[in-house]
Amino acid sequence: MENQTLLTIEDLSVQFVSAGIRTTALSGLSLTAKEGEILAVVGASGAGKSLLAHAVLGLLPKNAQVTGRMTYKGQVLNEKTLPRLRGKEITLIPQSVTYLDPLMPVGRQVYYPMNKQEGRAKTAALFEEYGLSPEVMKKYPFELSGGMTRRVLFSAAVLSGAKLLLADEPTPGLSRETARHVLRHLRAFAKEGRAVLLITHDLDLAVECADRVAVLYAGTLLETAPACDFAADGAALRHPYSQSLWNALPQNGFHPVTGNMPSPGERVESCPFAPRCPKKTALCREKPVPLRPLRGGTVRCIHAT
Amino acid sequence: MEEGERVGLIGPSGCGKSTLAKVLSGMLCPQAGEVRLDEKPLPKKGYRPVQLIFQHPEQAVDPKWRMEQILNEGYFPDRDLLNALGIEKEWLIRYPRELSGGELQRFCIARALGPKTRFLLCDEISTMLDPITQAQLWELLLHCSEKRGMGLLVITHNRALAERVCTRIVKFEDLNGKGEETHAKK
Ligand code: SF4
């Protein structure tokens, strides 16, 4: 049986209007997430990764204008449907520790949606799996280290039983070993038929644990590729930016690319990577570059083969 | 550490690496023991010759200041350095929240690279960055270190990174006198 597509995003764009100025934060983004898979979303900070997660959850600020279409199990995601689904079917593991209530012991924050006895037992078991001692249940957020807090937030998401999990940078602050442990849990989550959207700047880890990798740059999607295409010198990858990203890793050559990612105010219609791209030609600057399917993935580059 | 030496310090999170860095920079006073630079205790006033850069740049800057003010707090970095760091002119009039983590970290690095900096302590400074930005920043730091004979202490849990940038790698758990593991740069 073919795994069901849980999340479909078609041509999603997000613009912010403030003081009469319109800036495009995300544009023309199309993605799917299926049951049983981990889809990693990678890119530099400011590329739009967290924004994408917030758009899927309907948690964008009020001055955001969203166009395009998002569906969950065929049901359109909008202001009406999202509040019903959020926290039950679709859940976020937040990036920031400020999501915890500073005045409540963390154990209770993890299990409060459940009945006390069952919740407490399950939380204790999860805490143990994550290497948190039972005393942590009674601690307040300010008493925890960053890594511990992340493990607490993770336990809460696991316990919610959601079908679509959005993990926003779940691993920094964790040692490699603990990070791998967390990712093994994401894998277990996927094996149970859930879909995991793993948002991370850590390409290493994404490639190691995800099934597919989506590469964001300057608010748009440049490529989706099977994780196994990130190998050797990156020749199997479709987009020059993905190749550069891969070859910049310390173990793969550590090659920097000069220049910066354009900020939202400076975004152009044509290829956003053109100013830094080693393969650009005059054609690249002429018109918007569409996202197209290629070799079992997608790419936004006119010269990709 | 020798002048211009680049030492990688690796160890699990929560083991005390960050506390050590704070003590080495003079931000924290040790309860026992001493930190010496050129055989003298660290200066108590004025510019700190041992500078510390953190993992989270957004926690190291005043959110209410414009970037220009933040940048020039300790000394006036010249345009060459800013160019080398890829700091664009338009960024100077922005507030910290209007920049990405990678952009902000460049400012924190510029701020720490005053002419009197002898050692730079880098506490997981590229952990939150994408690989390209990471490689860009390290290229610059290595260049600075070589040009000025500035030492680097690279605190990281990323062994591949430490092997790329360091002349010697030390495990935190070995620091209490049990010996050191060394690694010669390719
Ligand atoms: S469209 Fe042109 S500039 Fe853009 S990534 Fe492809 S080759 Fe490079």
Side-chain angles (χ1 to χ4, degrees), chain B residues 115-126:
Chain B
K116 291 194 204 126
T117 302
R118 303 275 308 281
F119 286 92
L120 201 59
L121 314 176
C122 308
D123 188 0
E124 300 278 9
I125 62 166
S126 57

Side-chain angles (χ1 to χ4, degrees), chain A residues 239-241 271-274 277-281 284 289 300-304:
Chain A
H239 200 283
Y241 175 68
C271 175
F273 190 55
C277 180
K279 294 186 184 151
K280 71 163 168 285
T281 62
C284 303
V289 184
R300 191 189 296 280
C301 167
I302 52 175
H303 295 305

Side-chain angles (χ1 to χ4, degrees), chain B:
Chain B
M1 280 178 70
E2 305 279 335
E3 193 171 57
E5 196 183 16
R6 305 192 299 272
V7 178
L9 178 59
I10 49 184
S13 68
C15 70
K17 300 188 300 282
S18 297
T19 308
L20 175 69
K22 284 183 185 156
V23 171
L24 294 182
S25 73
M27 262 181 76
L28 283 181
C29 277
Q31 280 173 328
E34 198 181 14
V35 181
R36 287 194 300 266
L37 180 69
D38 297 329
E39 291 309 317
K40 289 192 283 285
L42 291 175
K44 293 233 159 46
K45 294 190 290 236
Y47 191 84
R48 290 200 173 123
V50 181
Q51 285 277 323
L52 176 56
I53 310 174
F54 299 97
Q55 178 178 357
H56 297 285
E58 57 284 355
Q59 291 167 13
V61 295
D62 187 328
K64 291 194 217 67
W65 285 17
R66 285 189 195 270
M67 293 318 300
E68 185 151 37
Q69 221 181 335
I70 291 170
L71 187 64
N72 296 330
E73 199 183 351
Y75 80 110
F76 290 90
D78 59 36
R79 193 62 234 176
D80 284 349
L81 177 67
L82 301 189
N83 285 342
L85 272 166
I87 291 179
E88 295 180 12
K89 274 217 180 72
E90 307 85 82
W91 297 355
L92 295 175
I93 52 166
R94 297 198 194 156
Y95 289 100
R97 67 182 149 77
E98 297 170 314
L99 292 174
S100 73
E103 290 161 2
L104 263 185
Q105 193 63 299
R106 292 160 204 249
F107 280 90
C108 293
I109 292 173
R111 201 168 58 161
L113 283 177
K116 291 194 204 126
T117 302
R118 303 275 308 281
F119 286 92
L120 201 59
L121 314 176
C122 308
D123 188 0
E124 300 278 9
I125 62 166
S126 57
T127 303
M128 300 300 289
L129 305 178
D130 66 283
I132 292 179
T133 312
Q134 165 169 275
Q136 280 179 334
L137 294 186
W138 283 109
E139 184 181 53
L140 176 98
L141 285 172
L142 293 185
H143 177 76
C144 265
S145 154
E146 257 153 44
K147 204 171 81 187
R148 300 181 182 187
M150 178 182 74
L152 296 179
L153 182 72
V154 181
I155 299 179
T156 179
H157 62 261
N158 185 342
R159 192 158 189 119
L161 176 68
E163 286 177 3
R164 272 283 172 190
V165 301
C166 299
T167 47
R168 176 160 66 106
I169 295 177
V170 179
K171 281 197 195 144
F172 187 83
E173 57 265 36
D174 292 339
L175 282 184
N176 41 11
K178 279 192 233 129
E180 291 178 353
E181 180 199 351
T182 53
H183 155 86
K185 198 176 163 14
K186 292 156 235 153

Side-chain angles (χ1 to χ4, degrees), chain A residues 170-238:
Chain A
T171 55
L174 304 185
S175 70
R176 218 62 191 163
E177 230 167 277
T178 322
R180 291 219 168 91
H181 196 75
V182 165
L183 295 175
R184 268 201 295 279
H185 281 276
L186 289 181
R187 177 51 70 194
F189 219 63
K191 274 211 183 109
E192 289 163 15
R194 295 167 168 118
V196 178
L197 216 67
L198 168 66
I199 291 166
T200 180
H201 67 282
D202 193 333
L203 184 59
D204 263 340
L205 229 42
V207 168
E208 195 179 309
C209 91
D211 300 294
R212 290 188 300 136
V213 178
V215 181
L216 292 196
Y217 184 77
T220 192
L221 180 71
L222 295 186
E223 171 166 2
T224 46
C228 57
D229 286 355
F230 288 84
D233 61 353
L237 293 168
R238 293 150 193 77

